[in-house]
Amino acid sequence: MLRRLSLSALIIAGAFTLARADVYRWVDDHGQPHYSDQWMPGSEVIKTSKAHPAGWDSTTRAADQKNLTASNNRIAAQADDKDNAQAVQQDLASRRAVLCKQSKDSYMRAITSRRVYKDGAEGQRNYLSDADADAYREQLRKQVQDYCGSVPQFDPNAPIPPPQAVEPKPIPEPKVNPADATSR
């Protein structure tokens, strides 16, 4: 009997000890909330049954909260800056790829053409002399080198591919029922 009483007293004392513990809540870097009986930097007390230690008041807590908020804002700004820099790099890479393709196409057209022309102000063709055409081709080659890093090889003995015919696209059917669209 005495043994049961001492065991019961031990269990009850342990339960009271656990019930008096402070519970702290904190959020990790991934936004996941965590609960613990031990204080962590940036945690806040959720449940307590103890008196707060001497010197603990709302001004200290407010100062700690301001420091934590400033730190969180600084980290968020750094993350935003990193994301913005990455987006700018992706935009530059995609723009550079488009300019590379356009430059290669212009260069290949200029090389495979016997005569090179530029469009005039009223839409007429102004054919370049051989020296001007060679200078224009060299300018396009340098442009391809700048945008792409390398210039495509050209074999003057290779046959010129025939022009590709452009097939007309069919006109899509209307989405409106003609009978409904007409008045009666």
Side-chain angles (χ1 to χ4, degrees):
M1 174 82 170
L2 186 60
R3 187 176 209 169
R4 284 187 193 174
L5 183 62
S6 62
L7 187 59
S8 303
L10 185 62
I11 290 174
I12 290 173
F16 281 127
T17 305
L18 291 177
R20 291 184 48 93
D22 289 340
V23 178
Y24 297 96
R25 180 181 183 270
W26 57 279
V27 180
D28 65 6
D29 296 337
H30 304 289
Q32 197 72 4
H34 295 279
Y35 299 90
S36 175
D37 61 346
Q38 296 179 356
W39 182 85
M40 299 290 288
S43 64
E44 60 184 22
V45 177
I46 299 297
K47 176 185 163 198
T48 186
S49 60
K50 297 181 189 176
H52 293 292
W56 188 89
D57 58 355
S58 62
T59 57
T60 309
R61 183 179 171 117
D64 289 344
Q65 190 66 23
K66 281 184 181 178
N67 290 339
L68 181 61
T69 302
S71 174
N72 286 344
N73 289 342
R74 191 171 43 253
I75 290 170
Q78 289 172 351
D80 288 345
D81 290 345
K82 182 179 177 184
D83 291 344
N84 288 341
Q86 187 178 14
V88 166
Q89 291 299 325
Q90 288 175 348
D91 288 345
L92 286 174
S94 64
R95 178 67 180 149
R96 193 167 190 86
V98 167
L99 290 174
C100 175
K101 180 166 178 18
Q102 290 174 347
S103 298
K104 279 184 181 180
D105 292 344
S106 297
Y107 178 66
M108 293 307 288
R109 265 195 317 271
I111 288 179
T112 57
S113 301
R114 291 182 187 207
R115 297 183 69 192
V116 179
Y117 67 89
K118 290 188 177 182
D119 292 327
E122 283 113 32
Q124 76 276 9
R125 291 182 177 180
N126 297 328
Y127 289 95
L128 302 177
S129 66
D130 289 339
D132 290 340
D134 288 342
Y136 179 68
R137 289 180 182 118
E138 181 62 23
Q139 175 190 358
L140 289 175
R141 188 188 70 74
K142 286 180 182 177
Q143 190 177 22
V144 169
Q145 182 73 31
D146 289 343
Y147 289 134
C148 305
S150 64
V151 180
Q153 295 297 322
F154 175 69
D155 182 13
N157 297 328
I160 297 174
Q164 304 224 349
V166 178
E167 294 185 26
K169 294 181 181 177
I171 299 173
E173 291 293 321
K175 294 182 180 180
V176 177
N177 186 357
D180 295 339
T182 59
S183 60
R184 294 182 185 187

